[in-house]
Amino acid sequence: MNNVIFDIAGLTKEFGTLAAVSNVSTQIKRGEAVFVVGPSGSGKSTFLRCLNLLETPTSGTIRFKDQVITDDSLNINHYRQNVGMVFQHFNLFPNLTIHQNITLAPLKTQRMTHQEADERADALLKRIGLYDKRDVYPAQLSGGQKQRVAIVRALAMNPDVLLFDEPTSALDPEMVGEVLALMKDLAQEGMTMVVVTHEIGFAAEVADRIIFMDHGQIVVSGTPDEVIRNSTIPRVRDFFSKVL
């Protein structure tokens, strides 16, 4: 179990009479890049949001390393320091510079000194080629630049895992590549990642494992070859025949 980051058992999330996620059980292992795919409304984003407790599960358990995060005693702020989240619409603070956006969380949580946070932010901005934008505001960046900043903002906390919720769906097509390139680098470096995406070709190239969801349930989980190319499940074969 030491290699397991998330151990999810019987996870269910209901909105009224709708079970957006229904009895989902799976594990996410350290260093694994897991891509969650499926049709719209299949429960992918709700599943991901449950992992960060942006949605409170109706039932089931989620264990993060040795801690049950669905327990009422959880210190949610401390937990989220270890689980980075990258959103569809960036969620950068518009009134803060790019550098301030990246240093805010490490300073607020006292995980780093000012000098450490500044050095970490500068190193991350240099990595993505945006060091020259450190003192501008988010409105002055392109969508692709904003999303890369959002990713390194999450990285600034040195999280155990990064969660991505449709990170390219709000971008113009020509900006998608620069974000996917950064994500691919992170996966190759061994960052534990759970990615909800419609970028099936990218998932096929980068994922260690693909989870296919439909109607709130996991239909199949396996390698890209097993799920995308060689599945014998009619629903899965039909979906990928239409999107590839």
Side-chain angles (χ1 to χ4, degrees):
M1 287 293 289
N2 289 340
N3 200 37
V4 175
I5 290 284
F6 281 115
D7 187 18
I8 301 145
L11 177 64
T12 296
K13 175 59 182 178
E14 297 172 344
F15 297 98
T17 59
L18 171 68
V21 176
S22 180
N23 196 32
V24 163
S25 298
T26 190
Q27 291 183 333
I28 310 294
K29 295 182 179 178
R30 188 178 302 278
E32 195 176 27
V34 177
F35 282 64
V36 186
V37 304
S40 296
S42 60
K44 306 184 300 294
S45 288
T46 302
F47 166 71
L48 192 79
R49 289 170 65 85
C50 284
L51 296 186
N52 203 29
L53 297 179
L54 292 170
E55 299 289 354
T56 303
T58 304
S59 61
T61 59
I62 302 172
R63 182 180 292 275
F64 174 73
K65 297 195 289 188
D66 59 350
Q67 182 178 32
V68 177
I69 69 167
T70 42
D71 190 277
D72 289 340
S73 64
L74 176 78
N75 182 329
I76 193 168
N77 292 323
H78 183 264
Y79 165 66
R80 286 179 176 158
Q81 292 176 26
N82 300 296
V83 180
M85 185 87 179
V86 179
F87 298 90
Q88 178 178 344
H89 293 289
F90 326 129
N91 287 19
L92 298 176
F93 294 103
N95 60 322
L96 299 180
T97 67
I98 299 309
H99 187 268
Q100 289 168 336
N101 263 280
I102 297 171
T103 60
L104 180 66
L107 292 176
K108 284 283 188 183
T109 59
Q110 299 182 334
R111 284 191 103 162
M112 299 179 188
T113 65
H114 276 276
Q115 181 178 346
E116 290 169 339
D118 287 344
E119 290 174 353
R120 176 76 169 148
D122 287 346
L124 289 167
L125 285 171
K126 288 174 183 175
R127 171 176 180 161
I128 61 172
L130 292 176
Y131 180 74
D132 61 324
K133 305 289 188 184
R134 72 190 300 277
D135 295 320
V136 308
Y137 291 87
Q140 297 168 265
L141 300 184
S142 70
Q145 290 172 330
K146 289 177 187 175
Q147 192 60 293
R148 282 185 289 151
V149 169
I151 293 171
V152 299
R153 177 180 63 175
L155 283 174
M157 290 288 287
N158 294 315
D160 291 303
V161 58
L162 281 181
L163 309 178
F164 294 84
D165 189 10
E166 298 281 10
T168 60
S169 62
L171 300 178
D172 292 331
E174 66 267 25
M175 296 177 183
V176 169
E178 61 197 53
V179 174
L180 296 185
L182 176 56
M183 294 174 62
K184 182 177 180 180
D185 286 347
L186 293 173
Q188 290 175 337
E189 292 166 9
M191 170 61 70
T192 308
M193 301 163 56
V194 185
V195 185
V196 169
T197 186
H198 284 106
E199 300 281 350
I200 304 301
F202 179 66
E205 178 186 0
V206 174
D208 296 306
R209 182 160 56 97
I210 290 178
I211 292 173
F212 180 86
M213 291 187 68
D214 196 20
H215 297 294
Q217 297 181 315
I218 293 178
V219 178
V220 64
S221 172
T223 67
D225 274 342
E226 291 168 339
V227 175
I228 295 178
R229 303 180 185 99
N230 300 317
S231 177
T232 59
I233 301 172
R235 178 67 185 101
V236 178
R237 292 175 63 91
D238 179 62
F239 174 83
F240 288 116
S241 72
K242 293 174 179 175
V243 300
L244 289 174

